[in-house]
Amino acid sequence: MSAGPTPLFVEAPARLHFGVLDLRGELGRRFGGIGAAVPTPSLLLEAAPAAALTAEGPDSPRVLEFAQRFGAHHGFDLGVRFRVHRAIPSHAGLGSGTQLALAVARAAAELSGLPTDVTALAPAVQRGLRSGVGTWTFAYGGFVLEGGRADHAERVAPLLARFPVPAAWRCVVAVPRGKPGLSGEDEAAAFARLPPPAQREVERVAHLVLMQLLPALAEADLAGFGVALAQVQRITGGWFAPAQGGVFAPGPTRDLVERLREWGAVGVGQSSWGPAVYGIVADATAGHALLQRVQLALGADGAVYEGGFSAGGARVWRGSAVSG
């Protein structure tokens, strides 16, 4: 950008979606979910006041769309120059749309003197219509549990719990070159076609989350966390099998899930609709070793990221892209 007002930067982590809680909705709420924020890949967005709305860089058309939604929601024409320095892979199961939308909304709110709480930002850019996991990881990072959307409610699903992930744990995220995950109208149509799961399976997922997964996370018990997460993935993956062709998306995604298990990863699974998969290990040494094996297996047919889990949500600062 040319010289002018001091730019504002928003950096947001990718999110992993570990599973939904309830597709039946018999208690008045649907979906609900668990997930966590990972620092790579991440989004870096720059914004500065301008006479007109413009955007450049990766995903710039989506930036303009979200900025226009924000302006329309608040009843004014937004004048901001946006630039995307770094993007999260689109339609990969890593929450790229929600993180970009909320980053645009946060920047626009900061520059316009409007509320910056995520419960105000999400409706302004029409996010959080089903899952609230990405909204809450944007806000706080870490591991989040959200309670689903009430029937006909317009607000984001409530945050029920947020836990820091043990600092030693490492996560390898692989995005193979495969069929893009569902999003937008295609995702909504897929949800509408899914048959309701058995009540006993919904109850089993809630039991696993409350009495095994969350306690294991709180006590830094990676083995227990991994066992619970694997069972949640197996059950909820079965719910989505009619839409995606199996418990995990067929092809590279399913193959990678199996390989990650063979290579010693714990808590292996598919994030959202994929094709991204993840495997969690106990420390940096194991993380680096797993990263190398996945890189060798994928070659040029995908991207691989390795690191800890994000301790916080999106960062906002003014100055240069390297400050903050």
Side-chain angles (χ1 to χ4, degrees), residues 70 74 101-103 105-107 109-110 114-127 138:
F70 182 89
H74 289 286
L102 292 175
R106 177 65 185 271
E110 293 275 357
L114 291 168
T116 59
D117 186 88
V118 290
T119 56
L121 299 180
V125 285
Q126 300 172 21
R127 306 308 289 188
F138 181 92

Side-chain angles (χ1 to χ4, degrees), residues 84-292:
V84 179
H85 289 267
R86 192 169 64 241
I88 297 169
S90 298
H91 309 307
L94 298 175
S96 64
T98 294
Q99 302 311 299
L100 182 62
L102 292 175
V104 168
R106 177 65 185 271
E110 293 275 357
L111 296 175
S112 305
L114 291 168
T116 59
D117 186 88
V118 290
T119 56
L121 299 180
V125 285
Q126 300 172 21
R127 306 308 289 188
L129 300 179
R130 278 179 294 274
S131 171
V133 170
T135 300
W136 295 116
T137 56
F138 181 92
Y140 300 118
F143 175 99
V144 300
L145 164 67
E146 54 96 345
R149 285 176 56 84
D151 291 341
H152 310 299
E154 297 299 324
R155 56 186 177 273
V156 177
L159 177 66
L160 302 183
R162 187 268 179 191
F163 290 88
V165 180
W169 292 9
R170 308 289 284 191
C171 186
V172 171
V173 178
V175 186
R177 289 184 182 172
K179 183 179 179 181
L182 295 177
S183 62
E185 294 181 0
D186 290 338
E187 182 183 30
F191 271 110
R193 292 192 301 267
L194 290 174
Q199 182 174 336
R200 65 181 180 277
E201 292 187 347
V202 172
E203 294 169 348
R204 177 62 175 161
V205 168
H207 195 190
L208 285 166
V209 170
L210 183 61
M211 296 305 294
Q212 187 173 17
L213 189 141
L214 293 183
L217 181 61
E219 294 182 343
D221 173 10
L222 179 56
F225 180 85
V227 167
L229 185 54
Q231 292 189 63
V232 169
Q233 282 271 295
R234 178 182 57 79
I235 296 169
T236 61
W239 299 349
F240 293 98
Q244 67 180 12
V247 171
F248 300 108
T253 294
R254 184 166 56 200
D255 294 345
L256 265 178
V257 168
E258 293 305 320
R259 288 191 178 190
L260 286 167
R261 286 194 185 118
E262 293 170 2
W263 295 334
V266 180
V268 177
Q270 171 183 311
S271 181
S272 188
W273 293 100
V277 301
Y278 56 83
I280 305 169
V281 293
D283 53 42
T285 299
H288 183 65
L290 184 59
L291 170 68
Q292 291 183 315

